[in-house]
Structures are given as C-alpha cells and as structure tokens.
C-alpha cells in the first residue's frame, strides 16, 4: 500500500457562511476563519476543505459562481484568501477548495454572452435546445424542483439547469469550455492550494440525445439521472483534467459522486486510471430515504449500514481509497440521523466518531460535528434559507399537503440542518456574529457550544482530538485490513483491523439498549490494551463477554 499524505490525514469541512463572522454583518467570512485556525489546529486537523468562496449572487450559497477568480464580496477579498492560505500553511495544514464546474451562475459573463444570441461565440458553452411541441426539450426535473429547463425568450430556446435556474449547466462537450476550466484550475493551484473537492464530479457528461427520464410515481417530472450521472464521456473528461492539470501538482482531489455504484467508483479512483483520488459516494446518505425522493423517509437496519461500509472497503481494496463521512453541508446532522440527538447525544456522537476514524479511508469532519451539533427545527418556513427546502415547501403547499407534514420532512431532511451558525459559546447568537445572523442560530446553543466542550476534558471535542491523535500514532487505523465480525447483529457494529503483527478490535453499540457483546471464539489474544472508549472502563475487565451500555464504543489493541 502506497503511503500518501491525504490517506493519513483528517479533513475538516468549513461552510464559510456559517463559520465565523468577523465584521458583524451576520455572514461568516474569511477573516473569521483566520481567527479560528488555532481552534482547528488544536483539534489535530491536517486538511481544510473550504466550501465555495468565489464571487456569487448566492442563489445556492456560492455554488452558483459568477466569477471563478474573484472572492464573494461578503466573504472578503483576494488578499484575504491569500492571507488565509498563508496562515493555514504556517500551521502545517493544507487547503482544499471547492471546484464547481458542472454549472456557473447565470450571472457569469460566459452565460450573459451565451444567452445574448444564437451565434455568439459563447453560445455553445451551455446546453441550449429548442422546445418540443410547445414543451421543454425533455421531461427532466431539476434537483431543486420544477423543470430542468428554463425558457429564454431572447433566442426562443431553453437552457438546461440540473440545479436552480440560476445555475445553467456548462457544455463539457465543447473543448473550449474544458480548456477555460483547466486554465482557471491552474491559476488556483499556482497560488499554492493543495487540491479540490469537486462538486457533482460525475455530472459533466450528458447523454447526447438527452432522452426523457422515467416518471417517478407521484411526481410530475422524469428522472434524468441515468442520462446525466456517469455519462458517456465522464471518464475521458476526468482523465484529461488529471493529465493536463492535476498530475502536475502534489495535490489531492475528491469528487462528489451521487448515484455512483461501487463498480463505477472503483473506476474513478483506480490508481492506474488517473482520474480522482477519492469520491464521496451516497449509499449511506440514501440509506434512510426513498431512492430518489430524499424527503420520503424509510426505516433502515444496522446490518445494512455495516454492509455498505464493508462492501466499499472490499471493493476498493488495493485499487483505490475510501472517503469516510456521515454529514456535510447538504445533509442532516449525523448525530440526529445515525445516533441519538437527545438523550444520548454525547455518547452517540463519540460512538459515530469512533466508527469514522477507525474505518479504512480518510475521515471528513463537518464543522460543528466535533462538539455534537444536532438538527434544527424552525417552526416557520420563513426561517429557512436553503433554495431546495423553500422550493420543496412551495411545491408541497401547492399540492395541498398539510403544513405539519411538510415541516416534519423539512425538520428531518433540510440542508439547513447543517447550515445554522457554528455555536462558539453561550453569548447571544452563539458568538458567531455581533450582528443578525443570515440564518438563525440553533436555539440549543447555550447547551451545545465550543467553549463548553473546551472546558470539559470529557467532551466530544477532546474525544475527537484523541481519535485524531491515535490515527497519527497508529498507521494501522489508516492502512490496516478490515474484517467485519458479528455480521448479523442488529445492535453491535464490530470489526478487526490488522497490519503486520498489529491488531485492533473495534466494538460499537449502535443502540440505546444495553446489549451483550460476545467475542467470537476464533479471535485469540494474549493481552489487550484499551486505546479509547466513551465510557469509563476497568482495564482488567474481560472482553470475552461485555455488557455494552447505550452507544458504548471501545477500541482495543490486541497482542
Ligand atoms: O450537491 C450536489 C448533489 O448531488 C445533490 O445530491 C445534493 O445532495 C443536493 O444537496 C440535493 O439535496 C452539490 C453541492 O454539495 C450542493 O451544496 C449544491 O447545491 C449542488 O452541488 C449544486 O452545486
Ligand atoms: Ca461577515
């Protein structure tokens, strides 16, 4: 197994808008991040992934970019990002930026040109089609609701937007588009950044004839995803980008890849194919809802979750590398979703952290996760800011769904669950801003905040710090083999890691019940040493049979 810095790293994701406001306008900014770098360093982080900070009208909080080589006014200036990068490097941390090149903003100069006339040199930078019998060119629905096509009367054609209508899709089939994108990427890499998280990295290639999608039951639009996810030229484009740009630098790339099977992912990250270093797959994110409609929840079993991690480990073994995450800026908070955000918040946050940091792969921490932030439940839609959530509410209201039902789905699933401001302390607005925050702070901030965790040696924060430290001291945590034990147990997730003579035994109670762990008889050891756990444990305790407490987690070294 080849050693790489990004395999041994722990990555921390920052959503700048909600991280720290330095000037009282209610919006997090680059100077705010600089103020908190010592905090991130103290946690033990090696790499920071910054969500988009480029110039943007903020229809989708920076994922709609109007100028790639400028900084969003609210976040600061080019000088500020240069300063941030220098301060990050001074602390021996690396910086990943977000690369959003499936689409631009409709306010990007390329699109302004493109929409101006059919013979404009930029026309072919985007995907334009004529209407089909008075309807849009095909039946695809946008991921944020409504049709994926917007009519533009200037030229009497429609343009494709998989996301909001202010996010027109770029036409990757046009070599000029690709060349422009590569130039822009080089410009950033030459500034010294250390890699990219690539937004919707498997959406760039669309099936040429853009066929209609299957109509989803109870839904007005067709599912176009088979025709835009993992499309016919996607590997070719990624390889080209890698060859022309990425391969020239010592960087890492991680591509967001919704709707990607293990077989496909194994191609994206295969060392011999030179495409991406890691992908974010969505199998775990899709575990608790309808396969396409994320707002419709579904019951799940622990054995399914185990199967996902196990399958992805086995499938990429000796071929590529896994990313490990349970939440981000698009997903609900992981404690609320996979643990218990109420009675056992602290225990379950630590248990889930133990899982993510002892599985093979690179763990990603989303801001606030490190002290157990949980979902928010605003009563009124007016308090939500996310375009997807607001569109969903509108659609459901129009369809006549009772408000309580709609709000229930929003409380469980809205992206704003992850986007409420960082809770730094118990002062007004959680110390995030001296002004009025762009989105309300979670009302639980007096109970759940950084300052509180930093004062308590037993806190979630220090548990993460210790896990990260252990990962640095024990290469087995990154590189060791993985073997699932007690496969069918619906309460306990347990596995062995091994590297040479070394062995780790991980035991996780995934439930609020007391449950008994029986060590399989074929696992032998002379001695054991407890590396970390989220409850007090007597060192002499026998591990052949353990009474696990709610959400108990233990990691043992076996000799
Ligand atoms: O998300 C793209 C994505 O594939 C969706 O599945 C995502 O889960 C979305 O939030 C629907 O719930 C990326 C970014 O992470 C997201 O924040 C952007 O809104 C989107 O691309 C468009 O750039
Ligand atoms: Ca600000």
């Amino acid at each position: 197994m080849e050693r790489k810095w990004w395999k041994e790293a722990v990555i921390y994701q920052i959503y700048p808008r909600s991280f720290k406001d330095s000037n009282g306008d209610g919006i997090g900014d680059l100077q705010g991040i600089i103020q908190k770098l010592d905090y991130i360093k103290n946690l033990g982080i090696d790499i920071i992934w910054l969500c988009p900070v480029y110039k943007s009208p903020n229809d989708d909080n920076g994922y709609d970019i109007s100028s790639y080589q400028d900084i969003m006014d609210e976040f600061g200036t080019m000088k500020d990002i240069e300063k941030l990068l220098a301060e990050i490097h001074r602390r021996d941390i690396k910086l990943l930026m977000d690369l959003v090149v499936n689409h631009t903003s409709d306010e990007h100069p390329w699109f302004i040109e493109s929409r101006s006339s059919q013979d404009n040199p930029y026309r072919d930078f985007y995907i334009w089609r004529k209407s089909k019998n008075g309807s849009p060119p095909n039946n695809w629905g946008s991921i944020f609701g409504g049709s994926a096509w917007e009519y533009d009367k200037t030229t009497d054609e429609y343009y494709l937007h998989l996301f909001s209508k202010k996010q027109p899709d770029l036409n990757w089939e046009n070599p000029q588009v690709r060349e422009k994108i590569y130039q822009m990427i080089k410009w950033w890499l030459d500034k010294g950044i250390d890699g990219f998280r690539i937004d919707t990295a498997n959406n760039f290639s669309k099936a040429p004839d853009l066929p209609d999608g299957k109509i989803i039951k109870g839904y007005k639009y067709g599912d176009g995803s088979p025709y835009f996810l993992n499309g016919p030229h996607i590997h070719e484009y990624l390889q080209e980008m890698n060859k022309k740009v990425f391969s020239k630098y010592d960087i890492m790339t991680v591509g967001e890849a919704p709707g990607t099977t293990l077989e496909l992912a194994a191609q994206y990250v295969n060392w011999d194919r030179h495409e991406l270093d890691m992908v974010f797959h969505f199998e775990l994110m899709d575990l608790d809802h309808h396969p396409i409609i994320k707002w419709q929840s579904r019951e799940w079993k622990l054995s399914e979750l185990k199967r996902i991690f196990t399958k992805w480990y086995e499938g990429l073994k000796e071929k590529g590398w896994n990313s490990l995450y349970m939440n981000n800026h698009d997903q609900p908070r992981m404690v609320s979703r996979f643990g218990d955000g109420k009675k056992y918040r602290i225990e379950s946050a630590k248990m889930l952290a133990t899982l993510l940091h002892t599985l093979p792969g690179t763990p990603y921490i989303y801001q606030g996760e490190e002290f157990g932030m949980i979902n928010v439940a605003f009563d009124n839609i007016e308090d939500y800011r996310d375009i997807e959530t607001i569109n969903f509410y509108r659609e459901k209201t129009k369809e006549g769904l009772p408000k309580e039902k709609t709000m229930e789905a929003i409380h469980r699933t809205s992206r704003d669950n992850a986007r409420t401001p960082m809770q730094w302390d118990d002062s007004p607005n959680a110390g995030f801003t001296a002004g009025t925050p762009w989105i309300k702070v979670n009302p639980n901030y007096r109970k759940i905040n950084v300052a509180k965790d930093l004062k308590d040696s037993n806190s979630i924060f220090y548990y993460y710090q210790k896990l990260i430290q252990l990962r640095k001291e024990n290469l087995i945590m990154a590189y060791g083999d993985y073997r699932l034990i007690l496969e069918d147990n619906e309460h306990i997730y347990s596995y062995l890691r091994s590297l040479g003579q070394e062995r780790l035994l991980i035991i996780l109670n995934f439930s609020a019940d007391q449950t008994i762990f029986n060590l399989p008889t074929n696992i032998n050891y002379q001695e054991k040493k407890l590396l970390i756990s989220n409850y007090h444990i007597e060192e002499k305790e026998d591990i052949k049979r353990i009474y696990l407490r709610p959400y108990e987690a233990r990691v043992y070294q076996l000799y």
Side-chain angles (χ1 to χ4, degrees):
M1 172 79 70
E2 197 191 344
R3 284 184 69 174
K4 290 273 189 199
W5 54 266
W6 44 264
K7 292 181 185 169
E8 293 167 29
V10 174
I11 301 180
Y12 188 85
Q13 182 192 354
I14 294 182
Y15 195 67
R17 205 173 186 77
S18 303
F19 192 64
K20 173 68 189 168
D21 174 23
S22 72
N23 63 353
D25 67 354
I27 299 172
D29 46 54
L30 299 178
Q31 285 297 336
I33 299 173
I34 294 173
Q35 290 172 14
K36 295 297 182 185
L37 287 178
D38 287 333
Y39 166 75
I40 294 171
K41 181 72 188 171
N42 183 23
L43 185 57
I45 295 303
D46 308 285
I47 302 175
I48 291 171
W49 150 26
L50 205 55
C51 281
V53 296
Y54 316 96
K55 187 148 300 223
S56 164
N58 283 302
D59 193 49
D60 186 21
N61 289 357
Y63 281 92
D64 49 322
I65 298 169
S66 54
S67 178
Y68 287 105
Q69 282 155 244
D70 280 311
I71 298 299
M72 191 190 297
D73 293 330
E74 296 93 319
F75 288 177
T77 62
M78 196 51 76
K79 279 231 149 47
D80 292 327
I81 189 92
E82 284 161 2
K83 172 85 170 148
L84 174 63
L85 178 61
E87 290 293 324
I88 286 175
H89 281 168
R90 194 163 70 76
R91 288 167 178 82
D92 216 11
I93 301 175
K94 293 183 189 282
L95 176 65
L96 302 184
M97 302 228 346
D98 220 299
L99 183 64
V100 189
V101 288
N102 175 69
H103 43 267
T104 67
S105 163
D106 65 338
E107 298 181 32
H108 192 289
W110 298 342
F111 190 74
I112 294 172
E113 290 290 327
S114 183
R115 84 185 328 172
S116 68
S117 76
Q118 289 194 9
D119 50 17
N120 186 283
Y122 287 89
R123 183 62 170 185
D124 205 26
F125 269 48
Y126 295 86
I127 301 171
W128 292 96
R129 291 289 185 277
K130 293 207 177 332
S131 112
K132 221 161 118 191
N133 316 318
S135 305
N138 72 22
N139 69 0
W140 297 0
S142 142
I143 292 162
F144 292 159
S147 166
W149 295 94
E150 180 71 7
Y151 177 70
D152 198 51
K153 64 173 182 312
T154 318
T155 55
D156 187 31
E157 287 193 344
Y158 289 80
Y159 64 86
L160 177 71
H161 61 90
L162 295 182
F163 296 90
S164 100
K165 62 173 185 242
K166 284 184 69 61
Q167 293 167 298
D169 280 58
L170 281 163
N171 176 18
W172 271 70
E173 282 182 30
N174 181 346
Q176 270 180 293
V177 169
R178 306 206 297 276
E179 218 30 68
K180 288 258 193 222
I181 290 172
Y182 303 157
Q183 278 167 20
M184 175 276 286
I185 301 176
K186 276 192 205 141
W187 187 87
W188 278 104
L189 290 172
D190 289 337
K191 277 197 178 294
I193 67 162
D194 305 288
F196 290 103
R197 174 268 187 185
I198 306 176
D199 192 58
T200 58
N202 60 337
N203 288 30
F204 306 159
S205 170
K206 279 86 179 171
D209 41 349
L210 308 176
D212 279 339
K214 268 205 210 90
I215 302 282
I216 309 158
K217 213 174 120 220
Y219 227 55
K220 195 165 144 200
Y221 296 98
D223 171 22
S225 64
Y227 308 111
F228 63 74
L229 294 179
N230 315 301
H233 300 292
I234 188 65
H235 295 289
E236 194 185 307
Y237 297 155
L238 292 174
Q239 283 169 14
E240 182 184 78
M241 184 153 59
N242 187 306
K243 185 158 167 244
K244 291 195 169 169
V245 193
F246 299 154
S247 64
K248 308 231 192 305
Y249 302 83
D250 178 22
I251 56 163
M252 71 152 272
T253 57
V254 52
E256 186 202 23
T260 292
T261 60
L262 172 60
E263 289 67 30
L264 274 164
Q267 298 185 344
Y268 289 130
V269 302
N270 190 307
W271 295 317
D272 302 327
R273 292 173 56 96
H274 306 286
E275 296 181 17
L276 301 168
D277 293 321
M278 289 180 241
V279 294
F280 292 126
H281 72 74
F282 277 64
E283 271 194 46
L284 190 67
M285 296 299 105
D286 295 340
L287 178 62
D288 63 351
H289 60 71
H290 178 282
I292 294 158
I293 306 168
K294 72 173 210 172
W295 307 98
Q296 273 179 33
S297 66
R298 128 178 216 280
E299 293 292 315
W300 57 276
K301 289 204 234 139
L302 180 62
S303 53
E304 295 178 283
L305 179 142
K306 296 197 247 186
R307 223 170 288 134
I308 292 171
F309 281 116
T310 306
K311 180 179 100 177
W312 280 80
Y313 161 72
E314 281 165 1
L316 296 190
K317 195 179 168 193
E318 276 145 33
K319 286 194 204 102
W321 194 252
N322 268 293
S323 67
L324 304 164
Y325 76 101
M326 279 190 152
N327 50 197
N328 60 34
H329 66 294
D330 290 334
Q331 300 291 337
R333 289 279 175 185
M334 73 187 211
V335 187
S336 306
R337 190 176 189 181
F338 298 105
D340 176 348
K342 300 198 173 85
K343 188 161 173 206
Y344 296 111
R345 182 183 67 90
I346 296 175
E347 292 80 359
S348 67
K350 291 175 179 174
M351 185 279 288
L352 293 171
T354 314
L355 171 68
L356 289 175
H357 292 256
T358 60
L359 283 170
T362 298
Y364 290 73
I365 299 172
Y366 178 67
Q367 68 182 42
E369 174 189 326
E370 74 280 15
F371 56 95
M373 277 181 68
I374 58 171
N375 283 351
V376 74
F378 298 129
D379 293 331
N380 295 311
I381 190 65
E382 288 72 31
D383 288 327
Y384 284 85
R385 297 287 173 269
D386 168 32
I387 178 170
E388 183 189 44
T389 305
I390 294 167
N391 287 349
F392 170 75
Y393 183 86
R394 254 191 229 133
E395 261 171 37
K396 291 295 137 184
T397 308
K398 221 161 73 192
E399 284 169 21
L401 194 76
K403 180 179 166 188
E404 309 76 70
K405 279 250 181 294
T406 311
M407 290 314 286
E408 200 184 292
I410 288 174
H411 293 163
R412 190 176 47 242
T413 309
S414 169
R415 304 196 296 181
D416 280 340
N417 279 313
R419 298 178 180 184
T420 60
M422 269 286 275
Q423 294 161 205
W424 293 104
D425 56 39
D426 62 6
S427 69
N429 290 318
F432 162 71
T433 179
T436 308
W438 69 278
I439 184 171
K440 280 188 182 163
V441 170
N442 193 318
N444 64 25
Y445 72 91
R446 283 188 200 85
K447 210 180 105 210
I448 304 174
N449 62 61
V450 170
K452 196 166 171 227
D453 261 40
L454 290 178
K455 273 189 282 216
D456 171 8
S457 61
N458 233 336
S459 67
I460 302 173
F461 179 90
Y462 288 118
Y463 192 88
Y464 268 84
Q465 189 190 51
K466 187 169 176 190
L467 273 172
I468 296 169
Q469 189 55 35
L470 282 172
R471 217 167 167 279
K472 296 204 161 83
E473 290 160 3
N474 299 279
L475 283 182
I476 183 174
M477 285 168 75
Y479 295 114
D481 284 343
Y482 160 103
R483 182 158 70 84
L484 180 64
I485 57 180
L486 308 179
E487 235 170 289
D488 303 321
N489 192 307
E490 293 293 357
H491 291 274
I492 301 170
Y493 190 174
S494 182
Y495 45 97
L496 281 171
R497 304 289 309 275
S498 58
L499 186 70
Q501 295 305 302
E502 272 181 79
R503 267 182 314 161
L504 296 181
L505 170 65
I506 293 95
I507 305 168
L508 310 167
N509 181 2
F510 245 89
S511 75
D513 306 325
Q514 274 229 10
T515 179
I516 297 173
F517 170 86
N518 285 308
L519 188 70
T521 48
N522 60 358
I523 298 173
N524 298 305
Y525 65 94
Q526 312 269 280
E527 275 178 66
K528 62 170 186 357
K529 184 181 153 207
L530 184 71
L531 290 186
I532 190 166
S533 71
N534 60 353
Y535 281 87
H536 177 74
I537 288 156
E538 296 297 329
E539 188 66 50
K540 58 178 191 303
E541 190 188 332
D542 188 6
I543 61 167
K544 296 222 160 57
R545 188 176 167 81
I546 307 174
Y547 288 88
L548 292 172
R549 290 154 281 189
Y551 295 100
E552 183 160 349
R554 306 182 183 200
V555 181
Y556 285 102
Q557 203 148 23
L558 302 182
Y559 306 92

